[in-house]
Amino acid sequence: MPLYYRLLKAPLTNISASLTMEGPPDGYRKNVGICLVNPSKKIFTASRIYIPNTWQMPQGGANNGEDLRKAAMRELREETGVTSAEFLAEAPYWLTYDFPIKVKHKLNRRWGTNYKGQAQKWFLFKFTGNEEEINLLGDGSEKPEFKEWSWRLPEQVVELAVDFKKPVYEQVLKVFSPYFSSDTDEEHPTKNEPNGGETHKQTTKRSSTKNKPNGGNIHKQNKRSSTLLQGQVS
């Protein structure tokens, strides 16, 4: 049985994530997460500038009173430059994860807060644009956080995530799994994807491409974010 389908059937264990239907629990920063899928049902992930070999889906804080779906679209645009996205689904509950102790202390000093972690509302969008639209410099309103991106299979998204986010990712992909298992929209397979996705490294201008085994094409992000902390959490 493929790893992803075993993942969906298995109970979540050692979970720091909790579920709540009505709103984010006290003590957690309100956050939105974005699961962006292409027509081949692969998921957009990007690697943090200062954390080698750690990949994640886009996410970011929601402002007070901000519509959460609009917040998700804003974060997607700010982090990836993507505006061509069609809303598909919203997770029916909030998911939380706790910060590791060192990260928690650094972030709370930076923000002047006392958060335990982040409470996330997740949204599923279908990418409807051309890949040239994807630019890890974003829309220029925020410092870039990512250095490379790829379309990944669901099991790879969980495998490559930082440990404290894995339980949330497992649950998110379980909620959105009907959209990944459908046989529709499979007419646009991506070439050179033996392990589930191409890897693209972002340049400071446009994407430059070279071949790489086990992952296809690479576009490298040359512009650097200013802090390690920004590389860990958004």
Side-chain angles (χ1 to χ4, degrees):
M1 182 183 295
L3 172 61
Y4 177 53
Y5 295 101
R6 295 201 303 270
L7 179 154
L8 292 181
K9 293 182 178 181
L12 298 179
T13 57
N14 299 320
I15 291 182
S16 61
S18 63
L19 285 66
T20 177
M21 296 291 290
E22 297 179 357
D26 292 339
Y28 289 83
R29 178 176 179 247
K30 186 185 296 186
N31 195 276
V32 291
I34 301 98
C35 183
L36 182 70
V37 296
N38 67 8
S40 296
K41 303 298 177 68
K42 293 186 174 65
I43 301 167
F44 179 92
T45 59
S47 65
R48 290 287 187 175
I49 290 174
Y50 285 105
I51 308 179
N53 303 317
T54 298
W55 294 70
Q56 70 170 64
M57 292 180 279
Q59 66 176 56
N63 300 321
N64 288 334
E66 185 177 19
D67 178 84
L68 294 177
R69 189 191 302 185
K70 291 180 179 178
M73 286 297 301
R74 173 183 55 76
E75 286 292 336
L76 183 63
R77 181 185 71 249
E78 290 176 356
E79 295 187 353
T80 71
V82 169
T83 58
S84 301
E86 174 188 345
F87 171 77
L88 295 179
E90 175 182 342
Y93 41 70
W94 292 81
L95 284 159
T96 68
Y97 64 82
D98 292 342
F99 295 133
I101 296 298
K102 291 183 179 179
V103 174
K104 175 182 176 181
H105 291 163
K106 289 180 180 179
L107 284 172
N108 282 318
R109 283 198 302 268
R110 176 186 173 190
W111 294 336
T113 57
N114 190 32
Y115 291 128
K116 301 174 185 177
Q118 303 210 85
Q120 296 184 310
K121 197 63 178 296
W122 279 87
F123 296 86
L124 178 67
F125 293 94
K126 179 179 177 180
F127 181 55
T128 58
N130 189 295
E131 287 192 353
E132 291 182 356
E133 179 179 322
I134 299 173
N135 185 344
L136 299 185
L137 300 181
D139 63 1
S141 64
E142 302 288 340
K143 293 180 180 179
E145 300 185 20
F146 301 122
K147 62 182 178 180
E148 53 190 358
W149 62 270
S150 179
W151 297 111
R152 301 280 184 179
L153 299 171
E155 64 268 24
Q156 292 178 312
V157 175
V158 175
E159 179 183 358
L160 296 173
V162 69
D163 285 345
F164 64 89
K165 292 183 181 179
K166 286 182 187 292
V168 168
Y169 277 25
E170 290 176 358
Q171 187 66 23
V172 168
L173 297 182
K174 183 176 181 180
V175 169
F176 293 149
S177 61
Y179 294 89
F180 308 137
S181 60
S182 172
D183 293 330
T184 62
D185 292 330
E186 295 291 344
E187 67 271 19
H188 301 296
T190 305
K191 296 180 180 179
N192 301 321
E193 298 185 76
N195 287 330
E198 298 179 351
T199 304
H200 305 265
K201 295 185 180 179
Q202 179 70 47
T203 65
T204 55
K205 294 182 179 179
R206 302 304 301 172
S207 297
S208 62
T209 304
K210 63 180 180 179
N211 290 329
K212 182 178 182 180
N214 294 336
N217 299 325
I218 294 183
H219 296 250
K220 186 172 184 179
Q221 172 73 46
N222 292 326
K223 187 175 180 180
R224 288 293 185 262
S225 172
S226 59
T227 65
L228 172 62
L229 197 56
Q230 188 171 20
Q232 288 184 301
V233 179
S234 67

